């Protein structure tokens, strides 16, 4: 889960009275001009100011370069993460126009970088299809950067200009000659806007790899100047290569992916879809990626809905017609048929309607019926031509259906016994609940052992903080069958305390705490317990993670004290730094190592780990579901050989190992 957490800090706010205050009249109305609105409310344009929003700036610039490729003008893109904290994106497209804009009376490149909803993608004249259709992408990048520099090569001349926080700092000027064409854009994120403006090399590389897979023939070079990493991505088979990437080393259920390609004009719109599908013969998780004009739609939308409907309907109809079902067998659900699925759905259209500027979900209804029709026809033809493979697919889904029914029966049996129903079974006896009944302000701390539970109960704010001690290590749900999981006493206590149920029965309305905090010792055993709990939440309560309700507390490992000077250190490295700085020339200091939370007195635990004003919580999030799934399967799954290979390959990166 490295790289998938963001720090949560708590800051005080001045109280606001419901009555009184300044008068509300015409002078109270503020009008934000130009890019000022973006700087004032960045979340409206990039989703957030955490790591996700920061990297969204990169995607906007890269998407513009990819649009040049889609228009038939760019064949190569280069992205470099600079040592000074900036990002540089270069393409060999036509170059942003530099002539004076007739209406704005400014160079077109300046208009593009300083005006919202300005670009060449609204009338389908310059770009038949494009991801950056809202025309706010690069101007938002400019608004949210301390500095932005752009170089344009076209018509034999190289031009340059610069901006600072969205405002022009250097007018457009000719800086040389050029035999090539293209655009270079550099930007440095504004440190006053972003929580932690540090780019993640692996995250960027993963996105660039996906982009190259979606654009056969396009070469994308990635350079991370901070650590010397250099990679080039270029693929020739497109989506067929992509689904093989999603499968990893798994043995596929069918020898070659099913490929669907369809393009036609619908109501005057040129629509196209490219789909590749296969199944893992070993893993049961579903891995699907969907895109619109090469933009990832993480929340799906109309194209995914059309794919799922056509996919499920076609396989069921074919199975019935070809007697792949036994008499009385129920129709297979989409979940059954998609178990182990590896699929990529990429569509292109001239004017897609997205929900929000971050383009996470496609809302264009015309694409739903188009994709469904394409899947019905192409998949039906493939099944008729490959009946043996078709029966293999149906049989795998029937096995999944039986397992799903067995799990449902186990849940029903458990519920009848009153183990998952909060109303009938009551809260766990070990839970020290908080007095507040407002879930938005309530926090549940999950601690290991009665000793840590005793300290944390004395340290907590009884109004908003609840404590649930767990005995021993939680069951590894990655390996255990559902019947065993539901019979486990510690898991029963977790489910009862949180109140939502698990899996398909998860009910947000019953969530009792908006912060669920894992608090374990700052040693190897504590790390193992944290990993077991993360596996439980990721597998059985993924909506809790997706909703941003899961956190990992950061207790200190060391206490340093000399007289009235007291400091805490999270790691050995931080301890050594404090000894060289804060305790320099203070005489001999004997650091105290906390072997467990139980060794901390309640005041120390409150000051370092539970006080909202001073604590550090890591919010758990999953930016790449495929990578997270593979990681949990590797580290917590059945294959000891694969785990050993991974440990041998990565052991050199480990530090602060407690042996």
């Amino acid at each position: 889960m490295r790289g998938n957490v963001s720090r949560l800090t708590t800051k005080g706010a001045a109280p606001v009275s419901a009555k009184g205050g300044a008068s509300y009249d015409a002078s109270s109305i503020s009008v934000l001009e130009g890019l000022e609105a973006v700087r004032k409310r960045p979340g409206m344009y990039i989703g957030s100011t955490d790591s996700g929003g920061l990297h969204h700036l990169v995607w906007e610039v890269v998407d513009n370069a990819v649009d040049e490729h889609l228009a038939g003008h760019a064949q190569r893109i280069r992205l470099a993460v600079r040592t000074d904290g900036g990002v540089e994106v270069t393409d060999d497209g036509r170059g942003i126009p530099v002539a004076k804009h007739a209406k704005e009376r400014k160079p077109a490149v300046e208009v593009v970088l300083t005006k919202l909803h300005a670009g060449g993608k609204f009338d389908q004249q310059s770009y038949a299809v494009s991801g950056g259709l809202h025309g706010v992408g690069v101007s938002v990048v400019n608004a949210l950067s301390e500095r932005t520099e752009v170089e344009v090569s076209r018509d034999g001349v190289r031009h340059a200009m610069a901006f600072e926080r969205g405002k022009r700092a250097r007018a457009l000027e000719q800086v040389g000659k050029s035999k090539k064409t293209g655009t270079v854009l550099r930007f440095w994120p504004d440190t006053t806007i972003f929580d932690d403006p540090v780019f993640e090399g692996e995250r960027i590389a993963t996105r660039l790899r996906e982009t190259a897979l979606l654009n056969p023939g396009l070469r994308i070079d990635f350079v991370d100047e901070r650590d010397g990493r250099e990679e080039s991505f270029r693929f020739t088979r497109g989506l067929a290569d992509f689904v093989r990437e999603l499968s990893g080393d798994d043995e596929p259920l069918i020898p070659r992916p099913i490929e669907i390609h369809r393009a036609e004009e619908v109501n005057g719109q040129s629509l196209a879809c490219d789909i590749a599908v296969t199944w893992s013969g070993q893993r049961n998780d579903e891995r699907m990626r969907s895109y619109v004009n090469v933009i990832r739609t993480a929340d799906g939308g109309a194209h995914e809905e059309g794919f799922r409907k056509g996919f499920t309907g076609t396989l069921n109809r074919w199975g019935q017609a070809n007697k792949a079902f036994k008499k009385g067998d129920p129709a297979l659900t989409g979940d059954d048929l998609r178990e182990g699925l590896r699929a990529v759905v990429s569509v292109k259209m001239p004017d897609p309607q997205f929900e929000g500027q971050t383009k996470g979900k496609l809302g264009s209804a015309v694409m739903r019926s188009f994709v469904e029709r394409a899947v019905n026809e192409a998949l039906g033809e493939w099944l008729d031509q490959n009946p043996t493979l078709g029966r293999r697919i149906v049989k795998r889904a029937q096995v999944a259906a039986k397992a799903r029914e067995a799990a449902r029966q186990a849940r029903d049996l458990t519920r009848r016994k009153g183990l998952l129903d909060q109303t009938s079974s009551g809260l766990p006896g070990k839970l020290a609940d908080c007095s507040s009944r407002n879930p938005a302000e309530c926090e549940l701390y999950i601690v290991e052992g009665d000793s840590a539970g005793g300290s944390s109960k004395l340290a907590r704010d009884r109004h908003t903080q609840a404590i649930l001690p767990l005995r021993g290590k939680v069951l590894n749900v990655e390996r255990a069958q559902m019947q065993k999981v539901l019979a486990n006493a510690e898991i029963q206590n977790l489910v009862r305390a949180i109140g939502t149920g698990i899996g398909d029965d998860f009910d947000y309305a019953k969530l009792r705490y908006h912060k669920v905090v894992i608090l374990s010792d700052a040693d190897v055993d504590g790390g193992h317990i944290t990993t077991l709990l993360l596996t439980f939440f990721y597998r059985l309560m993924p909506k809790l993670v997706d909703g941003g309700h899961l956190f990992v507390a950061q207790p200190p490992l060391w206490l340093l004290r000399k007289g009235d000077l007291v400091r805490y250190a999270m790691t050995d490295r931080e301890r050594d730094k404090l000894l060289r700085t804060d305790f320099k020339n203070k005489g001999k200091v004997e650091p105290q190592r906390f072997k467990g939370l139980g060794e901390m007195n309640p005041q120390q635990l409150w000051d370092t780990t539970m006080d909202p004003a001073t604590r550090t919580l890591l919010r758990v999030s999953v930016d790449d579901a495929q990578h997270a799934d593979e990681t949990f399967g590797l580290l917590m799954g059945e294959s000891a050989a694969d785990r050993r290979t991974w440990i041998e390959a990565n052991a050199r990166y480990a530090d602060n190992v407690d042996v």
Side-chain angles (χ1 to χ4, degrees), residues 11 19 70 83 91 110 116 145 162 208 266 277 283 303 360 369 382 394 462 474 529 533 559 579 656:
K11 297 179 181 180
K19 298 181 180 180
L70 292 175
T83 55
D91 69 67
E110 182 176 346
L116 295 177
S145 298
L208 296 181
V266 179
V277 181
R283 298 181 183 273
H303 52 328
S369 56
W382 185 91
V394 170
R462 293 174 179 269
V474 176
I529 290 172
L533 286 167
L559 166 65
L579 289 172
N656 196 33

Side-chain angles (χ1 to χ4, degrees), residues 175-207:
V175 293
K177 296 181 179 181
S178 177
K179 295 180 180 180
K180 301 178 181 179
T181 62
T183 302
V184 180
L185 193 142
R186 307 179 195 93
F187 69 93
W188 291 261
D190 195 332
T191 55
T192 66
I193 290 177
F194 292 96
D195 303 334
D196 187 18
V198 177
F199 293 102
E200 300 169 20
E202 186 61 37
R203 185 173 184 174
I204 294 174
T206 299
R207 171 68 179 251

Side-chain angles (χ1 to χ4, degrees), residues 75-224:
Q75 298 301 318
R76 186 169 180 176
I77 298 171
R78 181 182 184 272
L79 187 148
V81 180
R82 299 164 55 102
T83 55
D84 59 7
V87 167
E88 177 181 286
V89 179
T90 306
D91 69 67
D92 59 355
R94 292 166 291 184
I96 303 173
V98 295
K100 186 168 291 187
H101 190 275
K103 181 180 178 181
E104 298 293 334
R105 299 182 180 276
K106 297 177 181 178
V109 62
E110 182 176 346
V111 175
V112 168
L113 278 133
T114 58
K115 298 289 184 180
L116 295 177
H117 308 292
K121 304 171 185 178
F122 293 102
D123 57 7
Q124 284 82 58
Q125 298 298 316
S126 301
Y127 297 87
V129 296
S130 164
L133 285 170
H134 292 175
V136 301
V138 74
S139 58
V140 167
V141 174
N142 188 24
L144 301 180
S145 298
E146 290 181 354
R147 183 173 176 83
T148 305
E149 299 175 352
V150 61
E151 295 180 10
V152 176
S153 297
R154 58 182 292 153
D155 304 322
V157 179
R158 185 161 62 93
H159 307 260
M161 72 182 310
F163 305 84
E164 292 180 356
R165 292 185 168 89
K167 297 181 179 180
R168 188 180 68 184
R170 174 187 176 190
L172 182 70
E173 60 181 340
Q174 295 184 12
V175 293
K177 296 181 179 181
S178 177
K179 295 180 180 180
K180 301 178 181 179
T181 62
T183 302
V184 180
L185 193 142
R186 307 179 195 93
F187 69 93
W188 291 261
D190 195 332
T191 55
T192 66
I193 290 177
F194 292 96
D195 303 334
D196 187 18
V198 177
F199 293 102
E200 300 169 20
E202 186 61 37
R203 185 173 184 174
I204 294 174
T206 299
R207 171 68 179 251
L208 296 181
R209 187 181 188 87
E210 285 191 7
T211 302
L213 283 162
L214 289 163
N215 294 276
L218 173 63
R219 174 175 170 175
I220 303 180
D221 299 323
F222 172 58
V223 178
D224 193 335

Side-chain angles (χ1 to χ4, degrees), residues 147-384:
R147 183 173 176 83
T148 305
E149 299 175 352
V150 61
E151 295 180 10
V152 176
S153 297
R154 58 182 292 153
D155 304 322
V157 179
R158 185 161 62 93
H159 307 260
M161 72 182 310
F163 305 84
E164 292 180 356
R165 292 185 168 89
K167 297 181 179 180
R168 188 180 68 184
R170 174 187 176 190
L172 182 70
E173 60 181 340
Q174 295 184 12
V175 293
K177 296 181 179 181
S178 177
K179 295 180 180 180
K180 301 178 181 179
T181 62
T183 302
V184 180
L185 193 142
R186 307 179 195 93
F187 69 93
W188 291 261
D190 195 332
T191 55
T192 66
I193 290 177
F194 292 96
D195 303 334
D196 187 18
V198 177
F199 293 102
E200 300 169 20
E202 186 61 37
R203 185 173 184 174
I204 294 174
T206 299
R207 171 68 179 251
L208 296 181
R209 187 181 188 87
E210 285 191 7
T211 302
L213 283 162
L214 289 163
N215 294 276
L218 173 63
R219 174 175 170 175
I220 303 180
D221 299 323
F222 172 58
V223 178
D224 193 335
E225 297 176 355
R226 300 169 300 182
D227 59 12
R229 176 178 181 174
E230 294 188 15
E231 289 186 76
S232 290
F233 307 110
R234 186 176 184 274
F235 301 92
T236 56
R237 293 205 55 202
L239 301 193
D241 289 329
F242 203 156
V243 292
R244 289 192 178 96
E245 291 273 331
L246 291 179
S247 298
D249 296 329
D250 293 354
E251 187 71 26
L253 185 69
I254 57 178
R256 290 184 299 276
I258 302 170
E259 295 186 60
I260 299 172
H261 306 283
R262 184 65 54 93
E264 62 183 64
E265 190 166 301
V266 179
N267 299 328
Q269 296 188 77
S270 296
L271 307 181
C273 72
D274 296 283
I275 300 171
V277 181
T278 190
W279 284 261
S280 169
Q282 300 165 287
R283 298 181 183 273
N284 297 330
D285 61 299
E286 175 188 348
R287 298 176 189 173
M288 179 186 291
R289 297 288 187 274
S290 67
Y291 301 83
V292 178
N293 296 349
V294 199
I295 302 297
R296 171 79 182 276
T297 42
D299 300 322
H303 52 328
E304 278 196 22
E305 294 166 9
F307 169 77
R308 289 192 169 99
K309 188 175 180 181
F311 178 81
T312 304
T314 300
L315 277 166
N316 270 307
R317 287 191 297 272
W318 183 87
Q320 293 287 354
N322 290 271
K323 299 181 179 179
F325 299 130
K326 295 179 181 179
K327 187 177 181 179
D329 281 353
L332 296 170
T333 68
D335 288 339
D336 300 331
L337 290 163
R338 295 194 304 272
E339 185 172 286
L341 180 74
R342 307 290 183 263
V344 180
V345 179
S346 178
V347 302
K348 294 183 176 69
M349 62 187 306
D351 189 20
Q353 301 302 309
F354 293 104
E355 296 184 10
Q357 160 61 12
T358 55
K359 310 179 187 77
K361 187 174 184 179
L362 178 66
S364 302
V366 65
M367 189 56 76
R368 182 185 298 107
S369 56
F370 170 67
V371 172
E372 181 183 352
R373 186 170 64 255
V375 171
N376 283 338
E377 296 173 3
L379 182 57
E381 291 174 7
W382 185 91
L383 290 168
D384 289 338

Side-chain angles (χ1 to χ4, degrees), residues 27-43:
S27 64
S28 304
I29 306 300
S30 299
V31 179
L32 301 178
E33 299 290 344
L35 300 184
E36 186 182 355
V38 181
R39 294 183 58 80
K40 189 71 173 178
R41 297 287 185 267

